[in-house]
Amino acid sequence: MLNGAGIDRVYLACGPTDLRKSIDGLAVLVRERFQLDPFTTCLFVFCNRQCDKLKILQWEHNGFWLHYRRLEKGKFQWPAKNSSGVVAKISRRELRWLLDGLSLDQRQAHPKVTANIIL
């Protein structure tokens, strides 16, 4: 599993992506299609047409990580392209759901708990 420490945001490429692309090709997609900087502390997640393979592009310190996940059974619940665009911003919690094969829309999930510090 990915270490979530130091990750600011997670972006999904809605719809299918040609996963023959490697680091350079995916970084170009992030820059050109998403209008985002691939050299930030964000995760950029891509899925193939069959929704059984994922690639995650991550910049760390002075180089890229390319994470790959293939499901032997089942499919990822991947969002299709919609009117809101080709990229979706999700939380790290939603990414964990997605990697576990769950939908991003978890109606029965507990709300996120945040602590308020009172001084």
Side-chain angles (χ1 to χ4, degrees):
M1 181 70 184
L2 295 166
N3 180 3
I7 302 300
D8 290 335
R9 289 174 223 78
V10 179
Y11 294 100
L12 298 183
C14 296
T17 300
D18 181 0
L19 291 190
R20 292 177 291 180
K21 296 182 185 308
S22 192
I23 290 172
D24 294 333
L26 294 175
V28 167
L29 283 178
V30 170
R31 172 79 70 192
E32 300 291 323
R33 203 163 80 183
F34 304 164
Q35 302 294 311
L36 296 169
D37 183 7
F39 299 100
T40 58
T41 54
C42 299
L43 296 179
F44 301 98
V45 189
F46 305 88
C47 188
N48 68 337
R49 186 175 310 279
Q50 293 80 20
C51 296
D52 63 347
K53 297 176 184 83
L54 288 181
K55 282 190 177 180
I56 301 174
L57 184 67
Q58 176 186 13
W59 175 259
E60 185 179 63
H61 303 299
N62 63 351
F64 282 104
W65 283 98
L66 186 60
H67 307 277
Y68 180 77
R69 181 164 172 86
R70 182 182 73 190
L71 296 178
E72 294 300 321
K73 294 181 181 177
K75 296 186 180 293
F76 294 108
Q77 302 297 311
W78 199 256
K81 287 184 183 177
N82 55 26
S83 61
S84 65
V86 295
V87 65
K89 183 178 166 186
I90 64 169
S91 69
R92 290 183 297 198
R93 182 182 192 201
E94 291 170 318
L95 177 63
R96 286 191 303 274
W97 291 342
L98 189 68
L99 293 176
D100 286 340
L102 302 173
S103 170
L104 292 175
D105 182 28
Q106 292 294 313
R107 297 171 201 248
Q108 296 178 353
H110 294 286
K112 185 175 180 179
V113 177
T114 57
N116 294 327
I117 300 173
I118 300 172
L119 299 176

